[in-house]
Amino acid sequence: MQHLNYNHLYYFWMVQKKGSVTKAAEVLCLAPQTITGQIRSLEQRLKGAVFKRVGRNLEATELGELVFRYADKMFSLSYEMLDILNYQKDNSLLFEVGIADALSKALVSRVLLTVIPNDGSVNLACYESTHDSLIERLREHKLDMILSDCAGASLKFPEILSKKLGECGVSFFSAEPISLPFPACLEQRKLLIPGKRTSLGQQLHGWFAEKNLNVSILGEFDDAEMMKAFGYFNRGIFVAPSIYRHDILLQGMVLLGETTDIKEEYHVMFAERMIQHPAVKSLLATDFSDLFAGRDQSIKDLGNRIS
């Protein structure tokens, strides 16, 4: 049997993963025509078509699905090998973490500080983006772990493991007191809340409807710190995890009320191959009960420095 050109196979694998030649070309930094030509060469070698045209989309043929299953195992293993080899960076263990942009920086920092030793043996690299983008990067072996406020998307991928680190209720704050009781007071001023695509934002909208609250929303934010900054400048009522109540009150804000009907959850997600990574093992073995119950002094100190 003649030798198989693995570059041709890799281009086919990338097109199937990305869903189109155009998207694969962007990732590979190649012209779409180049990829199309390479796939034609693969089809000549395999003596059969690996794609068929369905409307404007490409779908794998029966042969293509068979080839993809084997190619997926091959290239996933090769990426895993590179991950292991790339852990070492300047005599320290590289730990690349994705952080959902909806999460509070203070709490994320506290979580990560539990696994980063002071001896310099772990080199931490953080990447912030949306949850969906982070999941994609994790599946592409561009991240070792993700911290996010939702784990639902990870359940679709058997190669991604997930663990809930903890949860806490939320509180509502304002720069000025409001005479009405909570939660009716939320109708008196415009609200600053997380975006609808975040888990917390979705819960808030559902909660407003459940409580029959006729609220007016001034702005929705993916960045929790930006939302809080608008609140500090007296631009509206803002929401934050209840564990930060002490820190926010120290900034002169007024607590309007809190609820445990809405939960901000923290999940860690990682590829199965990362289960033996020292930083991941340490994180999974850590009890964060005090942290999410608001009894951790270091998170209070950290929150004051970040605010």
Side-chain angles (χ1 to χ4, degrees):
M1 183 176 180
Q2 293 181 348
H3 175 70
L4 182 67
N5 188 314
Y6 289 104
N7 282 333
H8 298 167
L9 185 63
Y10 181 72
Y11 295 151
F12 158 72
W13 177 73
M14 188 61 72
V15 170
Q16 178 65 3
K17 281 182 68 70
K18 294 300 178 183
S20 72
V21 172
T22 301
K23 291 181 179 178
E26 292 175 356
V27 173
L28 297 170
C29 299
L30 295 172
Q33 296 85 348
T34 300
I35 294 178
T36 300
Q38 298 294 299
I39 291 177
R40 287 201 187 107
S41 297
L42 176 65
E43 291 178 326
Q44 292 173 2
R45 174 67 186 83
L46 298 176
K47 296 181 173 58
V50 293
F51 284 120
K52 59 184 178 182
R53 180 71 64 177
V54 179
R56 301 180 62 182
N57 300 319
L58 284 178
E59 290 186 5
T61 62
E62 186 174 339
L63 173 63
E65 291 177 353
L66 174 65
V67 172
F68 178 76
R69 286 198 296 271
Y70 282 96
D72 196 42
K73 293 178 182 178
M74 291 169 52
F75 292 118
S76 292
L77 281 173
S78 69
Y79 274 116
E80 182 175 335
M81 176 190 69
L82 291 174
D83 284 342
I84 295 173
L85 294 176
N86 289 335
Y87 284 159
Q88 297 299 325
K89 179 182 179 181
D90 300 328
N91 297 320
S92 64
L93 198 63
L94 181 62
F95 188 41
E96 297 178 294
V97 179
I99 301 167
D101 50 15
L103 296 185
S104 167
K105 308 300 185 294
L107 195 143
V108 166
S109 301
R110 179 67 182 95
V111 169
L112 292 178
L113 284 172
T114 64
V115 301
I116 306 301
N118 295 325
D119 59 6
S121 59
V122 173
N123 187 302
L124 178 65
C126 293
Y127 176 86
E128 185 180 23
S129 188
T130 64
H131 174 83
D132 291 341
S133 175
L134 294 176
I135 286 289
E136 182 177 356
R137 289 178 68 87
L138 183 63
R139 297 190 68 224
E140 292 175 349
H141 303 262
K142 295 178 180 179
L143 293 171
D144 297 327
M145 189 186 80
I146 291 174
L147 286 173
S148 183
D149 60 340
C150 55
S154 67
L155 301 179
K156 298 185 297 184
F157 309 112
E159 73 275 18
I160 297 180
L161 304 181
S162 173
K163 180 185 177 183
K164 182 177 175 180
L165 297 180
E167 65 181 20
C168 64
V170 298
S171 297
F172 294 82
F173 302 90
S174 174
E176 299 175 348
I178 300 176
S179 58
L180 292 179
F182 179 81
C185 60
L186 301 180
E187 297 179 330
Q188 301 304 300
R189 295 199 64 193
K190 292 185 180 296
L191 301 187
L192 308 165
I193 64 173
K196 288 182 180 179
R197 66 178 180 79
T198 67
S199 174
L200 188 55
Q202 293 168 13
Q203 290 183 72
L204 281 166
H205 280 280
W207 187 74
F208 295 148
E210 179 184 330
K211 298 295 184 181
N212 294 317
L213 293 173
N214 184 23
V215 299
S216 175
I217 297 174
L218 174 63
E220 299 186 15
F221 301 81
D222 290 337
D223 190 319
E225 300 305 316
M226 178 66 73
M227 177 180 63
K228 190 165 63 174
F230 270 73
Y232 284 170
F233 281 103
N234 198 19
R235 302 303 297 174
I237 298 170
F238 65 97
V239 61
S242 294
I243 58 175
Y244 301 120
R245 181 173 58 249
H246 172 76
D247 304 320
I248 296 174
L249 293 177
L250 287 178
Q251 302 300 318
M253 299 295 105
V254 176
L255 174 65
L256 301 179
E258 56 187 307
T259 178
T260 56
D261 293 339
I262 304 170
K263 302 280 189 180
E264 176 160 83
E265 298 183 351
Y266 284 74
H267 298 264
V268 57
M269 282 151 276
F270 52 94
E272 187 175 6
R273 70 186 188 281
M274 294 299 300
I275 194 70
Q276 295 302 320
H277 191 292
V280 174
K281 290 176 66 176
S282 176
L283 190 68
L284 296 178
T286 301
D287 183 359
F288 291 102
S289 299
D290 287 345
L291 176 65
F292 288 99
R295 296 190 296 266
D296 190 289
Q297 183 59 43
S298 55
I299 191 66
K300 294 179 180 180
D301 296 338
L302 184 59
N304 287 335
R305 292 199 299 270
I306 293 177
S307 297

